[in-house]
Amino acid sequence: MIRSLFSRTGQMLLVIFGISVLVFCIFFATPGADPTARIAGRGASPQVVERIRAEYGFDRPLPVQYVKMMEKLFVSRDLTSFVNHGQRVVPEVLQAAPVTLSLVLWAAFFWVSGSLVFGIASAVLRDSWVDRLLMVLGLIGLSMPVFWLGEVVNLVTQSRWHDTFLFRWVPPLGYVPFSQSPWGWAKALFLPSLTLAVCFIGLYARVLRSELLTAMGEDAIRTARAKGAGPVRVWLWHGLRLSWLSYISLFGLDFAQLLGGGALLTEVVFAMPGVGRLTYQALATLDLPLIMATVMYAAVFVVIANALVDGLYALLDPRIMEGRHGR
C-alpha cells in the first residue's frame, strides 16, 4: 500500500514537471516569444530593453530562466505579471479559485442529479416513448454550445423578460461572495451553473443508461432477482453499483478540467471572475506569467483528480487492487 502511494505520488510529480517544462518551452523558448519588447512598451530605447532583460532574467540560459520562474511560482510565489507590472499572479489565481469552485460544485450537483433521473428512467423504460424523449432531450442539451446557451439565457433573463415575475429575482451579471450574502451567492450562481450543467446532463444520462442496461445482464443481477430482490432494489442498488466505474471516471476528469479553467466560456458570458475568465484575459494580453500560473493550477487539479479516481476504482472494484498486488 505504501509502495503504491509513493509510486503514484512520484508519477504525479513527474507529470506536473513535464507539463511545466512543456508550457515554459511553448511560451518562452519559442522564437519570437521574448516578452521584453512588450514589457518595455513601444519606442523603448535599447538601454531600457537591456535593463528589462536583465531584471527579468531573459538574458540568462533557458534552464536558469525555467528554474527561476518555477521558484517564483511555487516557492516564493512572487511571480509578477508582465502586463500589470508589480501585480502578483499567484494571489490572483487563488482569489479566482473560490469563484470557479462554487460554479463547478453547483453545476456538478445539477448534472449528477439530472443525469441520474434521466439515465435511470430511460433504462427502466427502455424502448418506450419516454426513453426516446429523454434521450432526444439529452442529445439536444449535449449539442448546444455553452456560450450560445448562456447568451440566450442572458437575453431572456437580463434583458427582455427581466422585469416579469418569472425573472425579477435574477441578479445582475457577476459574482457575490458567500461571506457577503449566502442568498445572493446562490442566486448569482444558479443560472450560470445550470447552463454549464446542461451538456453534461445529456452525456452522463446516455452513459448511465448504457451501463445500466449492460449491468442487467450480469450474473449478480440474476442472483439478486433469484433471492427475491424487488425492481427498485435491483435498479437503484445492484444496478448502480455495477454501473459506477465509467460514470465516476467521467465525473472525475470533467470536474477537474472545469475547476482548472474548463468553465472559461461560462465565466466569460456570465462575467464570473473565476480562473477561466482569468485565463481568457491572460491569453488576450499574452500575459505569460499569468498563463503559466493558470495552466499549472489546471494541471495540478487534473492530476489530483486522476489519483482520486484511481482510489475510488480500488474501493468500488477490489479486483483492481488485487491485480496490482498480483503484479
Side-chain angles (χ1 to χ4, degrees):
M1 182 66 180
I2 297 178
R3 181 181 177 184
S4 176
L5 180 62
F6 276 109
S7 175
R8 187 62 187 177
T9 304
Q11 293 175 14
M12 292 168 58
L13 293 176
L14 187 61
V15 169
I16 293 174
F17 169 73
I19 293 173
S20 67
V21 172
L22 181 62
V23 173
F24 177 83
C25 290
I26 290 174
F27 288 108
F28 289 87
T30 304
D34 189 352
T36 306
R38 191 167 61 258
I39 298 173
R42 293 183 179 180
S45 64
Q47 293 80 8
V48 172
V49 172
E50 288 301 321
R51 179 177 59 80
I52 290 176
R53 285 182 60 83
E55 180 181 345
Y56 283 90
F58 298 141
D59 57 343
R60 299 185 181 183
L62 286 176
V64 177
Q65 292 185 41
Y66 169 80
V67 171
K68 185 176 180 180
M69 177 158 287
M70 292 302 108
E71 179 187 2
K72 286 178 172 291
L73 186 60
F74 291 107
V75 181
S76 61
R77 298 194 295 179
D78 59 353
L79 184 63
T80 57
S81 168
F82 288 169
V83 176
N84 301 315
H85 303 298
Q87 186 171 357
R88 297 184 178 184
V89 299
V90 175
E92 275 193 90
V93 175
L94 295 179
Q95 186 178 359
V99 181
T100 300
L101 178 61
S102 300
L103 175 65
V104 175
L105 283 175
W106 270 81
F109 169 76
F110 285 130
W111 94 59
V112 169
S113 56
S115 62
L116 284 174
V117 173
F118 277 36
I120 294 173
S122 294
V124 173
L125 303 172
R126 61 184 179 277
D127 298 329
S128 67
W129 68 269
V130 176
D131 177 27
R132 296 188 185 94
L133 176 62
L134 291 178
M135 288 299 99
V136 168
L137 290 176
L139 185 60
I140 292 173
L142 185 60
S143 304
M144 285 191 295
V146 67
F147 64 89
W148 175 85
L149 182 60
E151 290 291 357
V152 171
V153 170
N154 284 339
L155 179 65
V156 172
T157 63
Q158 296 286 343
S159 179
R160 294 190 177 181
W161 294 337
H162 178 68
D163 294 331
T164 64
F165 74 96
L166 284 176
F167 302 113
R168 196 173 298 149
W169 61 270
V170 177
L173 297 179
Y175 176 75
V176 177
F178 182 84
S179 58
Q180 178 180 328
S181 171
W183 178 237
W185 171 81
K187 289 196 299 182
L189 288 168
F190 181 78
L191 289 177
S193 57
L194 187 59
T195 301
L196 180 60
V198 166
C199 66
F200 291 101
I201 291 174
L203 173 63
Y204 280 64
R206 295 176 72 88
V207 170
L208 184 60
R209 175 188 183 276
S210 175
E211 293 294 324
L212 277 173
L213 292 179
T214 302
M216 288 301 109
E218 296 286 339
D219 292 338
I221 298 296
R222 286 192 286 267
T223 302
R225 283 173 172 162
K227 290 182 177 180
V232 174
R233 182 173 178 81
V234 166
W235 284 98
L236 299 184
W237 177 249
H238 298 286
L240 284 179
R241 286 184 64 190
L242 295 172
S243 308
W244 275 130
L245 292 183
S246 299
Y247 194 94
I248 288 177
S249 177
L250 277 176
F251 179 84
L253 295 177
D254 287 335
F255 190 85
Q257 69 93 10
L258 288 176
L259 276 181
L264 183 152
L265 294 176
T266 306
E267 292 180 356
V268 170
V269 170
F270 289 95
M272 307 289 290
V275 175
R277 190 161 180 253
L278 195 64
T279 305
Y280 172 79
Q281 294 171 344
L283 290 171
T285 58
L286 275 181
D287 192 351
L288 301 184
L290 188 53
I291 293 173
M292 173 72 77
T294 55
V295 170
M296 293 308 302
Y297 166 91
V300 168
F301 268 108
V302 171
V303 169
I304 292 175
N306 275 319
L308 292 177
V309 168
D310 282 351
L312 284 175
Y313 272 179
L315 290 176
L316 294 173
D317 191 350
R319 294 173 297 179
I320 297 176
M321 188 61 69
E322 292 173 2
R324 289 177 180 174
H325 291 327
R327 290 196 300 270

